[in-house]
Amino acid sequence: MPNRYGMLVDLKRCIGCYSCIMACKQDHGVVAGKRWNRVTTVGPIGKFPNVRMHYVYTMCMHCEKPPCVDACPTGALYKRDDGIVLVDESKCRACFDLCEDACPYRALARDTARGKQTKCTLCVERLEVGEQPLCVQTCVTQALIFGKVEDLPKLMAPRTKGATTHRLLTDQGTGPGLQYSKDPELGTTKGRRGKVYVDVT
């Protein structure tokens, strides 16, 4: 069975520099006002002088059971054997609301000028030549780790003793391929539909 690819976000390392977003938009020609990936600022948290900020990276989760694929009536959205969810633009009929409403992560980015749905592709064109996704390569703090989904916790382990990983909105049954570091100092990154936050309680 082919490897299922995914990504892990090391929350301790993200500094909110947005280099991942800018690189993605420029390389893929993402339309103005839309993003394939996001960095959400969480905070300030705490009381002065012990105040801190966190930055939470999100993108398409490349779900094991992607609801956008099930919602697409034309088959334009599909999942490859390696777990990457893509859009076949030749089949897209611009019925944007169906797939967008189905995605609990709000990861789709409609291109109304062309009448096509767009989204993160995990840079499949780069993977095919042995390179990593551009957001991973561009990250100045190495906060993003790319690899096989089952290997991601092991790749995180050398960075923080006892660190584990978790996923957003697991109650939705999507099986997201994007994981987050879970560390007692930071608390747990959680989500609501279209939003993320850090629970520090």
Side-chain angles (χ1 to χ4, degrees):
M1 186 173 183
N3 296 323
R4 181 187 172 205
Y5 291 117
M7 197 176 295
L8 189 149
V9 182
D10 185 343
L11 294 173
K12 272 193 169 182
R13 295 199 178 200
C14 183
I15 59 173
C17 69
Y18 301 99
S19 60
C20 52
I21 295 174
M22 295 300 101
C24 178
K25 284 183 69 71
Q26 182 175 1
D27 196 62
H28 294 285
V30 182
V31 296
K34 298 292 183 178
R35 295 178 181 179
W36 285 6
N37 51 6
R38 293 178 173 83
V39 175
T40 301
T41 302
V42 180
I45 297 170
K47 296 181 179 180
F48 181 83
N50 300 311
V51 178
R52 60 193 186 279
M53 306 285 284
H54 299 304
Y55 304 93
V56 182
Y57 179 84
T58 56
M59 61 177 201
C60 171
M61 301 286 165
H62 297 280
C63 300
E64 183 178 7
K65 297 178 180 179
C68 60
V69 171
D70 293 336
C72 181
T74 67
L77 279 153
Y78 67 99
K79 187 180 77 167
R80 303 196 331 172
D81 289 340
D82 58 9
I84 299 175
V85 178
L86 297 174
V87 180
D88 182 346
E89 291 192 357
S90 68
K91 296 181 179 180
C92 183
R93 298 294 178 265
C95 49
F96 299 123
D97 291 338
L98 294 178
C99 54
E100 290 175 7
D101 288 346
C103 176
Y105 305 102
R106 297 292 187 258
L108 298 163
R110 66 173 72 179
D111 185 336
T112 52
R114 295 192 303 116
K116 302 297 179 182
Q117 189 61 270
T118 72
K119 60 177 294 298
C120 163
T121 64
L122 265 184
C123 292
V124 289
E125 71 285 354
R126 298 174 65 85
L127 300 184
E128 289 170 356
V129 295
E131 297 180 355
Q132 299 221 338
L134 190 59
C135 58
V136 176
Q137 183 175 322
T138 307
C139 182
V140 296
T141 62
Q142 298 182 330
L144 303 178
I145 303 172
F146 173 78
K148 292 183 288 185
V149 168
E150 62 270 23
D151 290 343
L152 293 174
K154 291 184 289 186
L155 295 173
M156 177 65 189
R159 296 187 174 193
T160 306
K161 185 177 181 180
T164 57
T165 64
H166 69 285
R167 298 171 176 155
L168 295 179
L169 300 177
T170 53
D171 61 318
Q172 301 288 314
T174 59
L178 186 66
Q179 302 178 32
Y180 294 86
S181 61
K182 183 178 180 181
D183 188 281
E185 184 179 332
L186 292 185
T188 301
T189 304
K190 295 187 176 181
R192 293 183 287 266
R193 287 185 66 90
K195 297 182 180 180
V196 294
Y197 61 97
V198 173
D199 181 1
V200 294
T201 59

